């Protein structure tokens, strides 16, 4: 008789057969009987964009549906704008779209537990709430920076409510983007726009944009860790929510630190960049999040192409080699690192390693 594995449990949660709490209880019981992560080498970081072509089929249909809707309503929005009471139509169409998304999500997200349609519906809901926020700003006759701040802030609040209603993990990424956009828009009231796009991420640039980026990235990381530590075996949507927050927080952290060091160009800065990448890799391994490392290093490669003369190909080559090595020996490296690392707060709430599995077996 075949035994159940973690994928079966995640599928049961996704299909509504059991709840997340029940799934966590099953996993804890299994780990107590057989040792945590008995088949650690066969496990991977859970990641899912769709479960079959039927979801893609539905996504295409929903995309066409909303494209047609925006085609019907969008002309009046962009033509009237803030004049001629165009904000009334803007708010009305935004609210109608948001309500329609909630109705559709109640079927595809809550009942059918579909992944790809839920992601698309989250994006459409975010766009609808941005549109509503713009309408509210136009109604208040505020300046352009305030229009963007109100639009982004409305989307952030709306998406937060949407997440509480439907628990779509991808919505956490959109919420984080909304927070970034709102804070940046508010910051323009004090310091104005940065002189160049690079100043947004350079600690030596004008304004406080770089510090804001770094600070928000760290906040996103700690919130993601709170999700992860509440579900160390990663069978529920809390872990998936943490995944998407890691995807957005890692580039924010890397952007500010790496771009500043690359821009400096000195030998000390280059050594500092190596130390920073090493620290990033150690953190990613300890928390068992390949997504955090890939998102951070991927953005670093893009920054290297844009900033370093010659594309920084030696740095890029080295990063690629390190990623390949980590991908091939991730579990072995993590087990050794977890054994070598002294106890620290929260270590016992991280995913267990292969070494811990052998000890428990």
């Amino acid at each position: 008789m075949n035994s159940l594995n973690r994928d079966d449990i995640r599928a049961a949660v996704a299909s509504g057969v059991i709840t997340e709490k029940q799934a966590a209880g099953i996993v804890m019981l299994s780990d107590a009987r057989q040792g945590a992560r008995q088949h650690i080498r066969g496990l991977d970081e859970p990641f899912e964009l769709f479960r079959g072509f039927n979801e893609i089929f539905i996504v295409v249909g929903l995309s066409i549906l909303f494209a047609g809707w925006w085609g019907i309503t969008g002309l009046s929005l962009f033509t009237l704008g803030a004049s001629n009471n165009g904000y009334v139509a803007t708010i009305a169409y935004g609210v109608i779209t948001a309500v329609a998304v909630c109705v559709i999500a109640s079927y595809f997200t809550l009942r059918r537990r579909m992944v790809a349609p839920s992601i698309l519906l989250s994006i459409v809901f975010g766009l609808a709430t941005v549109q509503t926020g713009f309408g509210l700003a136009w109604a208040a006759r505020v300046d352009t920076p305030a229009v963007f701040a109100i639009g982004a802030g409305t989307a952030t609040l709306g998406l937060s409510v949407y997440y509480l209603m439907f628990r779509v993990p991808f919505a956490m990424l959109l919420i984080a983007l909304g927070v970034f956009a709102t804070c940046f828009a508010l910051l323009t009231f004090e310091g104005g726009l940065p002189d160049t796009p690079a100043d947004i991420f350079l600690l030596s640039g004008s304004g406080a944009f770089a510090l804001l980026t770094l600070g928000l990235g760290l906040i996103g990381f700690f919130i993601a860790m709170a999700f992860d530590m509440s579900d160390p075996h990663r069978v529920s949507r809390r872990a998936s929510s943490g995944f998407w927050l890691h995807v957005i927080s890692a580039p924010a952290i890397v952007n500010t630190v790496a771009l500043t060091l690359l821009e400096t160009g000195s030998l000390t800065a280059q050594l500092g960049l190596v130390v920073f990448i090493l620290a990033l890799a150690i953190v990613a391994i300890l928390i068992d999040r390949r997504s955090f490392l890939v998102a951070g290093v991927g953005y670093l490669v893009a920054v290297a192409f844009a900033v370093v003369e010659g594309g920084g190909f030696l740095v890029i080559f080295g990063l690629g080699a390190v990623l390949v090595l980590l991908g091939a020996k991730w579990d072995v490296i993590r087990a050794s690192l977890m054994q070598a690392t002294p106890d620290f707060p929260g270590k016992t709430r991280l995913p267990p390693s292969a070494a811990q599995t052998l000890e428990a077996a």
Side-chain angles (χ1 to χ4, degrees):
M1 181 177 179
N2 294 330
S3 59
L4 292 175
N5 56 32
R6 298 291 162 79
D7 290 335
D8 296 324
I9 296 175
R10 281 192 286 268
V13 173
S15 61
V17 175
I18 60 176
T19 65
E20 293 177 1
K21 183 177 181 180
Q22 290 170 333
I26 293 172
V27 170
M28 291 177 63
L29 177 62
S30 174
D31 289 340
R33 287 171 58 87
Q34 302 181 31
R37 286 190 166 192
Q38 182 177 2
H39 305 291
I40 184 75
R41 294 183 182 274
L43 292 177
D44 199 353
E45 184 174 350
F47 173 68
E48 203 170 32
L49 286 177
F50 62 92
R51 296 200 180 106
F53 193 78
N54 186 47
E55 291 198 3
I56 302 301
F57 184 83
I58 294 171
V59 165
V60 172
L62 289 173
S63 300
I64 296 173
L65 174 68
F66 285 112
W69 167 249
W70 274 318
I72 295 171
T73 62
L75 292 178
S76 61
L77 301 182
F78 290 105
T79 300
L80 294 175
S83 62
N84 301 324
N85 295 327
Y87 58 83
V88 176
T90 302
I91 296 172
Y93 292 149
V95 171
I96 292 172
T97 305
V99 171
V101 168
C102 290
V103 172
I104 297 172
S106 65
Y107 177 75
F108 287 116
T109 301
L110 294 182
R111 183 174 176 182
R112 297 288 300 276
R113 304 284 181 174
M114 290 186 167
V115 178
S118 298
I119 290 175
L120 176 64
L121 289 170
S122 299
I123 295 173
V124 174
F125 185 88
L127 293 174
T129 49
V130 169
Q131 176 180 319
T132 303
F134 282 167
L136 293 172
W138 289 339
R141 306 292 181 180
V142 297
D143 295 333
T144 299
V147 171
F148 286 102
I150 294 174
T154 303
T156 304
L157 291 175
L159 284 165
S160 299
V161 175
Y162 188 87
Y163 177 81
L164 293 176
M165 291 174 59
F166 299 103
R167 300 292 180 180
V168 179
F170 183 80
M172 291 304 303
L173 182 144
L174 300 179
I175 293 171
L177 289 176
V179 171
F180 272 91
T182 304
C183 292
F184 281 130
L186 292 174
L187 198 59
T188 59
F189 288 105
E190 296 294 332
L193 294 174
D195 297 329
T196 64
D199 285 343
I200 297 176
F201 307 110
L202 283 174
L203 291 172
S204 59
S206 59
F209 290 93
L211 289 175
L212 177 63
T213 302
L214 181 60
L216 291 177
L218 291 172
I219 291 173
F221 172 77
F222 288 121
I223 295 175
M225 288 306 304
F227 278 116
D228 283 351
M229 288 182 170
S230 68
D231 180 23
H233 298 288
R234 294 175 182 168
V235 297
S236 73
R237 284 173 290 183
R238 294 192 301 276
S240 299
S241 299
F243 169 88
W244 289 111
L245 278 177
H246 281 304
V247 168
I248 195 68
S249 63
I253 297 171
V254 169
N255 241 335
T256 303
V257 178
L259 184 57
T260 300
L261 293 173
L262 286 171
E263 185 74 11
T264 302
S266 65
L267 179 60
T268 302
Q270 293 178 16
L271 292 176
L273 180 59
V274 172
V275 173
F276 172 70
I277 296 172
L278 180 61
L280 192 75
I282 291 174
V283 170
I285 294 170
L286 285 175
I287 66 176
D288 200 16
R289 277 297 188 188
R290 297 165 180 84
S291 55
F292 180 77
L293 184 59
V294 169
V297 172
Y299 214 99
L300 178 59
V301 170
V303 168
F305 270 114
V307 175
V308 181
E309 293 184 3
F313 292 116
L314 182 59
V315 174
I316 294 172
F317 177 82
L319 289 174
V322 170
L323 285 181
V324 171
L325 175 62
L326 287 177
K329 297 294 183 181
W330 182 276
D331 295 332
V332 176
I333 295 173
R334 184 169 187 268
S336 301
L337 187 60
M338 290 289 283
Q339 283 184 316
T341 305
D343 291 337
F344 55 85
K347 184 178 181 180
T348 57
R349 297 171 62 192
L350 294 174
S353 66
Q356 290 171 304
T357 300
L358 293 177
E359 291 175 0

